[in-house]
Amino acid sequence: MKQDNCIFCKIISGEIPAHTIYEDEQFKVILDVAPATKGHALIIPKNHYANMYELPEDTAVEAIKLAKKMMQVMTDKLHCDGFNIIQNNGEIAGQTVFHFHMHLIPRYKDDSEILKYVSLHPSQEEMEETRKTITE
Ligand code: AMP
Ligand code: ZN
């Protein structure tokens, strides 16, 4: 269940310190060491799964339930104005730590546009082609 050389496994076991804001049998929630905004936190399952593909369904359900709970508590305490929940899978998607985690990012009216991406402009035909690829 624990993987050598995994920084989050080491945080779970206490080998590496972290600022823990919530803990239960299945999860630890810690403050991100390089926060995008004040309160940026990470939900980390105690068992090692590399990403969402590997995550068991029941753990995924519990993780999203915890995200909802944390979002509520953090919004009340931090008085943020909005909230992003982000989860990266694979290097190309921006994943840098290969132990599943969800980012909880409180957003404030005066914070910068930290999560903008450049939109594609697909034609209707391309949209339909993509729809078919996914659904057929
Ligand atoms: P991701 O890019 O989705 O894999 O996110 C990994 C996150 O883990 C980044 O936001 C890092 O700042 C954060 N991180 C890396 N090492 C630590 C650590 N020791 N304690 C807390 N957060 C960390
Ligand atoms: Zn791990």
Side-chain angles (χ1 to χ4, degrees):
M1 283 304 183
K2 182 172 179 288
Q3 191 163 102
D4 292 342
N5 296 323
C6 171
I7 194 156
F8 287 175
C9 281
K10 286 181 180 164
I11 285 173
I12 297 300
S13 70
E15 267 176 78
I16 289 178
H19 296 275
T20 302
I21 58 171
Y22 176 85
E23 182 166 7
D24 62 24
E25 246 178 55
Q26 262 192 297
F27 298 98
K28 209 167 191 157
V29 184
I30 65 165
L31 294 182
D32 195 296
V33 77
T37 65
K38 181 184 166 72
H40 180 174
L42 303 169
I43 294 181
I44 306 174
K46 291 189 170 177
N47 290 333
H48 180 98
Y49 308 107
N51 50 42
M52 180 77 105
Y53 296 112
E54 287 192 4
L55 196 69
E57 197 174 283
D58 58 341
T59 310
V61 169
E62 292 307 317
I64 198 76
K65 283 163 76 176
L66 180 55
K68 181 168 169 56
K69 193 160 92 176
M70 292 307 301
M71 177 178 158
Q72 190 61 62
V73 171
M74 290 166 75
T75 299
D76 288 349
K77 302 275 189 178
L78 295 167
H79 307 292
C80 56
D81 305 301
F83 219 94
N84 290 115
I85 295 175
I86 296 172
Q87 198 277 309
N88 301 322
N89 298 280
E91 206 172 336
I92 193 67
Q95 189 175 8
T96 58
V97 177
F98 297 91
H99 178 136
F100 173 89
H101 54 280
M102 291 170 77
H103 294 259
L104 303 173
I105 307 181
R107 299 302 302 271
Y108 305 91
K109 280 195 184 97
D110 58 353
D111 69 24
S112 53
E113 292 183 81
I114 55 172
L115 299 166
K116 274 281 176 192
Y117 55 84
V118 180
S119 300
L120 303 174
H121 298 285
S123 65
Q124 286 302 108
E125 291 72 26
E126 287 168 323
M127 294 284 276
E128 184 55 15
E129 187 58 39
T130 304
R131 189 194 64 77
K132 280 187 183 153
T133 303
I134 296 167
T135 58
E136 287 175 3

